[in-house]
Amino acid sequence: MHNSRQGFVIDSLLTTLFPLIPFLENLTLSPVVPLSRRALASLTNRDGSSNLRTLGGVCYIATFSSAICVDEDPLVQLLRMCHQLEHLEVIGSDMEPADAEPSSQEAVEIPSTTVKLDLPRLHTLTLLSMPSSSLVHALLNAALPRLRTLCLTPYEDVPYPRALTTRFLDVHGNSLSTLSFFTHKSWPTRLHPSPRTLFRTCPNIRHLSLETPLPALVPPDAADLGQAVIPLQILSIPRPNHDFWRTLETLLPSLPSLDVVRMRDIRWLRKGLNRHAQEAGVQGEMRVWRQRLARRGVRLLDSDWKDMV
Protein backbone atom coordinates (compact mmCIF):
# COMPACT_ATOMS: atom_id res chain seq x y z
CA MET A 1 0.00 0.00 0.00
CA HIS A 2 2.83 2.37 0.89
CA ASN A 3 4.55 1.80 -2.46
CA SER A 4 1.31 2.30 -4.41
CA ARG A 5 0.70 5.60 -2.60
CA GLN A 6 4.23 6.74 -3.38
CA GLY A 7 3.75 5.76 -7.02
CA PHE A 8 0.50 7.74 -7.19
CA VAL A 9 2.17 10.81 -5.69
CA ILE A 10 5.10 10.61 -8.13
CA ASP A 11 2.75 10.10 -11.05
CA SER A 12 0.65 13.10 -10.01
CA LEU A 13 3.73 15.30 -9.64
CA LEU A 14 5.00 14.34 -13.09
CA THR A 15 1.56 14.91 -14.62
CA THR A 16 1.66 18.45 -13.22
CA LEU A 17 5.33 19.01 -14.08
CA PHE A 18 5.47 17.94 -17.74
CA PRO A 19 3.48 20.94 -19.15
CA LEU A 20 5.86 23.31 -17.31
CA ILE A 21 8.99 22.10 -19.14
CA PRO A 22 8.38 22.61 -22.88
CA PHE A 23 12.11 22.60 -23.65
CA LEU A 24 12.69 19.16 -22.14
CA GLU A 25 14.98 17.14 -24.44
CA ASN A 26 16.22 14.25 -22.28
CA LEU A 27 13.96 12.28 -19.95
CA THR A 28 15.12 9.19 -18.04
CA LEU A 29 12.56 7.53 -15.80
CA SER A 30 12.78 4.70 -13.29
CA PRO A 31 11.30 1.49 -14.74
CA VAL A 32 10.04 0.52 -11.28
CA VAL A 33 7.65 3.51 -11.36
CA PRO A 34 5.26 3.10 -14.28
CA LEU A 35 3.58 6.18 -15.72
CA SER A 36 -0.20 6.24 -15.88
CA ARG A 37 -2.15 7.10 -19.01
CA ARG A 38 -2.79 10.61 -17.64
CA ALA A 39 0.95 11.19 -17.08
CA LEU A 40 1.78 10.01 -20.59
CA ALA A 41 -1.03 12.19 -21.97
CA SER A 42 0.45 15.15 -20.09
CA LEU A 43 3.86 14.45 -21.64
CA THR A 44 2.31 13.98 -25.09
CA ASN A 45 0.04 17.04 -25.19
CA ARG A 46 2.39 19.62 -23.68
CA ASP A 47 3.96 22.37 -25.76
CA GLY A 48 7.34 21.29 -27.06
CA SER A 49 6.70 17.54 -27.06
CA SER A 50 8.54 17.33 -30.38
CA ASN A 51 11.73 18.53 -28.63
CA LEU A 52 12.24 15.20 -26.87
CA ARG A 53 15.45 13.49 -28.03
CA THR A 54 16.04 10.84 -25.35
CA LEU A 55 13.36 8.83 -23.56
CA GLY A 56 14.65 6.11 -21.25
CA GLY A 57 13.53 3.83 -18.44
CA VAL A 58 9.90 3.71 -19.57
CA CYS A 59 7.93 0.95 -17.83
CA TYR A 60 5.44 -0.47 -20.32
CA ILE A 61 2.22 -1.66 -18.68
CA ALA A 62 0.46 -4.57 -20.39
CA THR A 63 -2.87 -2.71 -20.32
CA PHE A 64 -1.37 -0.03 -22.61
CA SER A 65 -1.32 -2.58 -25.41
CA SER A 66 -4.40 -2.72 -27.59
CA ALA A 67 -5.35 -5.86 -29.51
CA ILE A 68 -7.64 -3.78 -31.72
CA CYS A 69 -5.83 -0.60 -32.74
CA VAL A 70 -2.19 0.41 -32.32
CA ASP A 71 -3.19 4.08 -32.16
CA GLU A 72 -4.93 3.54 -28.81
CA ASP A 73 -1.59 2.83 -27.12
CA PRO A 74 -0.62 5.93 -25.06
CA LEU A 75 3.08 5.41 -25.71
CA VAL A 76 2.45 5.18 -29.46
CA GLN A 77 0.51 8.44 -29.18
CA LEU A 78 3.55 10.00 -27.48
CA LEU A 79 5.98 8.73 -30.11
CA ARG A 80 3.82 10.19 -32.87
CA MET A 81 4.77 13.62 -31.49
CA CYS A 82 8.50 12.91 -31.02
CA HIS A 83 9.93 13.46 -34.50
CA GLN A 84 13.34 14.41 -33.05
CA LEU A 85 13.67 11.30 -30.87
CA GLU A 86 17.11 9.66 -31.08
CA HIS A 87 17.19 7.21 -28.15
CA LEU A 88 14.28 5.14 -26.80
CA GLU A 89 14.33 2.59 -23.96
CA VAL A 90 11.19 0.68 -22.90
CA ILE A 91 10.98 -2.18 -20.37
CA GLY A 92 7.97 -4.47 -20.38
CA SER A 93 6.69 -7.16 -18.02
CA ASP A 94 7.74 -10.24 -20.01
CA MET A 95 5.04 -12.86 -20.65
CA GLU A 96 3.13 -15.46 -18.72
CA PRO A 97 4.58 -19.01 -19.06
CA ALA A 98 1.34 -20.25 -20.63
CA ASP A 99 1.60 -17.63 -23.37
CA ALA A 100 5.02 -18.95 -24.39
CA GLU A 101 3.78 -22.50 -24.99
CA PRO A 102 3.76 -23.33 -28.72
CA SER A 103 0.73 -25.58 -28.10
CA SER A 104 -1.40 -22.68 -26.86
CA GLN A 105 -4.55 -22.49 -28.98
CA GLU A 106 -5.60 -19.00 -27.96
CA ALA A 107 -5.87 -16.75 -31.00
CA VAL A 108 -3.67 -13.66 -31.04
CA GLU A 109 -4.98 -10.72 -33.03
CA ILE A 110 -2.71 -8.35 -34.94
CA PRO A 111 -3.88 -4.81 -34.15
CA SER A 112 -4.69 -2.45 -36.97
CA THR A 113 -3.05 0.94 -37.42
CA THR A 114 -3.96 4.05 -39.33
CA VAL A 115 -0.86 6.14 -38.66
CA LYS A 116 2.79 5.17 -39.14
CA LEU A 117 5.35 6.44 -36.67
CA ASP A 118 7.80 8.96 -38.12
CA LEU A 119 11.10 8.56 -36.25
CA PRO A 120 13.75 9.59 -38.80
CA ARG A 121 16.42 10.32 -36.15
CA LEU A 122 16.03 7.25 -33.92
CA HIS A 123 19.43 5.51 -33.79
CA THR A 124 19.30 3.58 -30.49
CA LEU A 125 16.38 1.41 -29.40
CA THR A 126 15.99 -0.87 -26.36
CA LEU A 127 12.93 -3.12 -25.96
CA LEU A 128 13.32 -5.46 -23.00
CA SER A 129 10.92 -8.10 -21.65
CA MET A 130 8.41 -7.23 -24.33
CA PRO A 131 7.62 -10.13 -26.67
CA SER A 132 4.63 -8.44 -28.26
CA SER A 133 2.58 -5.28 -27.82
CA SER A 134 0.87 -2.63 -29.89
CA LEU A 135 4.00 -0.49 -29.34
CA VAL A 136 6.24 -3.14 -30.90
CA HIS A 137 3.74 -3.51 -33.77
CA ALA A 138 3.95 0.24 -34.37
CA LEU A 139 7.76 0.21 -34.37
CA LEU A 140 7.78 -2.89 -36.57
CA ASN A 141 5.83 -1.00 -39.24
CA ALA A 142 7.71 2.29 -38.83
CA ALA A 143 10.48 3.50 -41.09
CA LEU A 144 13.64 3.67 -38.94
CA PRO A 145 16.31 4.72 -41.45
CA ARG A 146 18.95 5.67 -38.85
CA LEU A 147 18.51 2.75 -36.46
CA ARG A 148 21.99 1.40 -35.72
CA THR A 149 21.88 0.06 -32.13
CA LEU A 150 19.23 -2.38 -30.92
CA CYS A 151 18.83 -4.24 -27.62
CA LEU A 152 16.13 -6.91 -27.32
CA THR A 153 15.04 -9.77 -25.11
CA PRO A 154 15.03 -12.86 -27.36
CA TYR A 155 11.91 -15.00 -27.87
CA GLU A 156 12.92 -17.20 -30.78
CA ASP A 157 10.95 -20.19 -29.44
CA VAL A 158 7.70 -18.21 -29.19
CA PRO A 159 5.84 -18.11 -32.53
CA TYR A 160 4.64 -14.98 -34.31
CA PRO A 161 2.52 -13.03 -33.44
CA ARG A 162 2.91 -13.91 -29.74
CA ALA A 163 6.50 -12.67 -30.04
CA LEU A 164 7.73 -10.09 -32.56
CA THR A 165 11.46 -9.90 -31.88
CA THR A 166 12.51 -12.21 -34.70
CA ARG A 167 10.18 -10.47 -37.15
CA PHE A 168 11.60 -7.14 -35.94
CA LEU A 169 15.08 -8.26 -36.96
CA ASP A 170 13.80 -9.42 -40.33
CA VAL A 171 12.45 -5.91 -40.97
CA HIS A 172 15.06 -3.65 -39.36
CA GLY A 173 18.17 -5.86 -39.07
CA ASN A 174 19.86 -4.75 -42.27
CA SER A 175 20.81 -1.31 -40.91
CA LEU A 176 22.11 -2.49 -37.52
CA SER A 177 25.76 -2.20 -36.51
CA THR A 178 25.23 -3.16 -32.82
CA LEU A 179 22.82 -5.85 -31.63
CA SER A 180 22.46 -6.98 -28.01
CA PHE A 181 20.26 -9.65 -26.48
CA PHE A 182 19.52 -9.33 -22.79
CA THR A 183 17.09 -10.93 -20.33
CA HIS A 184 16.26 -9.29 -17.00
CA LYS A 185 17.31 -11.68 -14.22
CA SER A 186 14.14 -11.54 -12.11
CA TRP A 187 12.77 -14.55 -10.27
CA PRO A 188 11.81 -16.83 -11.88
CA THR A 189 14.02 -16.11 -14.87
CA ARG A 190 12.81 -17.60 -18.15
CA LEU A 191 15.54 -17.68 -20.79
CA HIS A 192 14.52 -17.93 -24.43
CA PRO A 193 16.82 -18.71 -27.37
CA SER A 194 18.05 -16.19 -29.93
CA PRO A 195 17.72 -16.57 -33.71
CA ARG A 196 20.36 -18.73 -35.40
CA THR A 197 20.26 -16.69 -38.61
CA LEU A 198 21.45 -13.36 -37.20
CA PHE A 199 24.22 -12.98 -39.75
CA ARG A 200 21.67 -13.28 -42.54
CA THR A 201 19.13 -10.83 -41.13
CA CYS A 202 21.82 -8.44 -39.81
CA PRO A 203 24.60 -8.59 -42.44
CA ASN A 204 26.25 -5.31 -41.35
CA ILE A 205 26.62 -6.13 -37.68
CA ARG A 206 29.88 -4.99 -36.00
CA HIS A 207 29.12 -5.75 -32.33
CA LEU A 208 26.97 -8.70 -31.30
CA SER A 209 26.14 -9.49 -27.66
CA LEU A 210 24.39 -12.82 -27.07
CA GLU A 211 22.30 -14.17 -24.22
CA THR A 212 22.06 -17.65 -22.70
CA PRO A 213 21.17 -20.10 -24.20
CA LEU A 214 23.74 -19.33 -26.86
CA PRO A 215 22.48 -20.00 -30.39
CA ALA A 216 24.21 -22.30 -32.90
CA LEU A 217 24.75 -19.44 -35.33
CA VAL A 218 24.88 -20.24 -39.01
CA PRO A 219 27.05 -18.29 -41.47
CA PRO A 220 25.41 -16.22 -44.19
CA ASP A 221 24.95 -17.68 -47.62
CA ALA A 222 27.53 -16.46 -50.11
CA ALA A 223 24.67 -16.07 -52.58
CA ASP A 224 22.97 -13.61 -50.23
CA LEU A 225 25.95 -11.32 -49.62
CA GLY A 226 28.07 -11.89 -52.69
CA GLN A 227 30.66 -13.35 -50.32
CA ALA A 228 30.28 -15.17 -47.01
CA VAL A 229 32.22 -12.55 -45.02
CA ILE A 230 30.80 -11.05 -41.82
CA PRO A 231 32.08 -7.59 -40.71
CA LEU A 232 31.75 -8.51 -37.00
CA GLN A 233 34.47 -6.93 -34.82
CA ILE A 234 33.26 -7.61 -31.26
CA LEU A 235 31.42 -10.67 -29.96
CA SER A 236 30.12 -10.70 -26.37
CA ILE A 237 28.82 -13.80 -24.58
CA PRO A 238 27.98 -14.31 -20.89
CA ARG A 239 30.72 -16.90 -20.18
CA PRO A 240 32.75 -19.64 -21.90
CA ASN A 241 30.63 -22.40 -23.36
CA HIS A 242 32.01 -25.60 -24.88
CA ASP A 243 29.22 -26.07 -27.42
CA PHE A 244 29.40 -22.45 -28.53
CA TRP A 245 33.17 -22.74 -29.04
CA ARG A 246 32.48 -25.30 -31.75
CA THR A 247 30.02 -22.86 -33.33
CA LEU A 248 32.54 -20.03 -33.16
CA GLU A 249 35.30 -22.20 -34.57
CA THR A 250 33.11 -22.93 -37.58
CA LEU A 251 32.35 -19.24 -38.06
CA LEU A 252 35.90 -17.89 -37.66
CA PRO A 253 36.82 -18.23 -41.37
CA SER A 254 33.89 -15.91 -42.12
CA LEU A 255 34.95 -13.38 -39.45
CA PRO A 256 38.16 -11.78 -40.76
CA SER A 257 37.48 -8.52 -38.86
CA LEU A 258 36.85 -10.14 -35.47
CA ASP A 259 39.11 -8.43 -32.93
CA VAL A 260 37.53 -9.09 -29.51
CA VAL A 261 35.58 -11.83 -27.78
CA ARG A 262 34.24 -10.52 -24.48
CA MET A 263 32.96 -12.51 -21.49
CA ARG A 264 30.15 -10.24 -20.36
CA ASP A 265 29.54 -11.73 -16.90
CA ILE A 266 33.08 -12.77 -15.86
CA ARG A 267 36.09 -10.83 -14.57
CA TRP A 268 39.68 -12.02 -14.57
CA LEU A 269 40.89 -12.84 -11.06
CA ARG A 270 43.13 -10.15 -9.63
CA LYS A 271 46.87 -10.56 -9.76
CA GLY A 272 48.41 -12.22 -6.71
CA LEU A 273 46.04 -15.17 -6.28
CA ASN A 274 47.66 -18.59 -6.50
CA ARG A 275 48.00 -20.37 -9.82
CA HIS A 276 45.49 -23.11 -8.96
CA ALA A 277 42.74 -20.53 -8.39
CA GLN A 278 43.54 -18.84 -11.70
CA GLU A 279 43.39 -22.13 -13.62
CA ALA A 280 40.30 -23.62 -11.97
CA GLY A 281 36.69 -23.44 -13.11
CA VAL A 282 35.57 -20.65 -15.37
CA GLN A 283 38.94 -18.88 -15.03
CA GLY A 284 40.65 -21.93 -16.50
CA GLU A 285 38.12 -22.03 -19.34
CA MET A 286 38.80 -18.38 -20.10
CA ARG A 287 42.53 -19.09 -20.24
CA VAL A 288 41.91 -21.90 -22.76
CA TRP A 289 39.72 -19.64 -24.88
CA ARG A 290 42.34 -16.89 -24.68
CA GLN A 291 45.04 -19.21 -26.00
CA ARG A 292 42.88 -20.53 -28.81
CA LEU A 293 41.75 -17.08 -29.91
CA ALA A 294 45.24 -15.61 -29.70
CA ARG A 295 46.37 -18.03 -32.42
CA ARG A 296 43.82 -16.33 -34.67
CA GLY A 297 44.76 -12.80 -33.63
CA VAL A 298 41.64 -12.30 -31.49
CA ARG A 299 41.75 -10.89 -27.94
CA LEU A 300 39.70 -12.28 -25.04
CA LEU A 301 38.46 -9.57 -22.66
CA ASP A 302 36.47 -9.79 -19.42
CA SER A 303 33.34 -7.89 -18.37
CA ASP A 304 35.44 -4.78 -17.68
CA TRP A 305 36.92 -4.93 -21.19
CA LYS A 306 40.29 -5.90 -19.72
CA ASP A 307 42.81 -8.52 -20.84
CA MET A 308 44.33 -11.01 -18.42
CA VAL A 309 46.84 -9.30 -16.13
Side-chain angles (χ1 to χ4, degrees):
M1 181 65 71
H2 181 65
N3 288 337
S4 62
R5 285 179 178 175
Q6 282 187 329
F8 179 78
V9 170
I10 293 172
D11 190 84
S12 299
L13 290 172
L14 290 174
T15 301
T16 304
L17 176 64
F18 287 147
L20 305 179
I21 44 177
F23 299 107
L24 178 67
E25 293 187 358
N26 302 304
L27 175 61
T28 301
L29 303 164
S30 170
V32 300
V33 182
L35 293 185
S36 66
R37 286 178 176 268
R38 64 168 184 160
L40 284 171
S42 175
L43 183 61
T44 301
N45 298 323
R46 69 192 174 91
D47 291 337
S49 57
S50 61
N51 293 328
L52 204 59
R53 295 180 182 274
T54 299
L55 179 59
V58 179
C59 177
Y60 189 88
I61 303 174
T63 55
F64 286 172
S65 185
S66 171
I68 300 172
C69 182
V70 164
D71 305 337
E72 296 179 1
D73 188 315
L75 197 50
V76 173
Q77 294 171 6
L78 171 60
L79 294 181
R80 286 174 57 186
M81 307 297 294
C82 300
H83 305 302
Q84 306 298 318
L85 194 66
E86 299 175 0
H87 188 162
L88 174 64
E89 179 190 43
V90 185
I91 296 93
S93 55
D94 206 356
M95 66 194 314
E96 294 299 322
D99 295 334
E101 293 296 329
S103 59
S104 175
Q105 299 299 314
E106 184 181 352
V108 178
E109 295 185 17
I110 299 176
S112 63
T113 181
T114 57
V115 178
K116 278 197 172 185
L117 293 178
D118 181 22
L119 300 170
R121 296 176 179 268
L122 187 69
H123 58 73
T124 301
L125 174 61
T126 298
L127 298 171
L128 296 180
S129 303
M130 193 183 309
S132 179
S133 68
S134 46
L135 170 64
V136 181
H137 273 286
L139 291 168
L140 182 66
N141 295 308
L144 305 175
R146 294 194 181 181
L147 185 62
R148 297 294 181 269
T149 301
L150 178 64
C151 182
L152 296 170
T153 299
Y155 295 97
E156 174 67 5
D157 57 337
V158 182
Y160 175 88
R162 285 189 176 83
L164 303 176
T165 51
T166 301
R167 180 67 62 91
F168 201 93
L169 291 174
D170 291 340
V171 174
H172 296 298
N174 193 67
S175 66
L176 297 177
S177 59
T178 299
L179 174 60
S180 302
F181 289 104
F182 180 77
T183 302
H184 271 298
K185 304 307 187 289
S186 57
W187 179 260
T189 300
R190 292 185 292 272
L191 296 171
H192 298 271
S194 305
R196 300 178 62 234
T197 57
L198 292 174
F199 292 131
R200 297 177 183 176
T201 55
C202 309
N204 299 304
I205 202 76
R206 261 69 175 175
H207 182 185
L208 175 61
S209 182
L210 296 172
E211 178 61 283
T212 303
L214 296 171
L217 296 171
V218 295
D221 293 330
D224 293 338
L225 300 180
Q227 54 180 350
V229 173
I230 306 163
L232 189 70
Q233 298 172 349
I234 302 172
L235 174 64
S236 297
I237 62 175
R239 58 179 56 229
N241 179 283
H242 177 70
D243 291 335
F244 187 74
W245 170 257
R246 290 184 292 184
T247 296
L248 180 58
E249 199 170 28
T250 302
L251 289 170
L252 282 173
S254 300
L255 301 172
S257 300
L258 186 64
D259 180 54
V260 168
V261 172
R262 174 178 172 246
M263 298 299 162
R264 195 178 64 214
D265 297 345
I266 307 295
R267 288 192 181 101
W268 290 112
L269 288 179
R270 64 182 184 274
K271 189 175 181 180
L273 292 178
N274 66 61
R275 183 176 178 181
H276 292 294
Q278 295 186 6
E279 294 180 353
V282 68
Q283 294 290 319
E285 294 180 59
M286 287 179 65
R287 283 172 170 264
V288 172
W289 275 59
R290 183 176 183 272
Q291 293 171 356
R292 291 172 176 174
L293 291 169
R295 300 188 195 110
R296 296 167 170 85
V298 180
R299 294 177 293 153
L300 182 74
L301 304 182
D302 69 1
S303 59
D304 293 329
W305 296 90
K306 293 180 179 179
D307 201 342
M308 185 176 70
V309 179

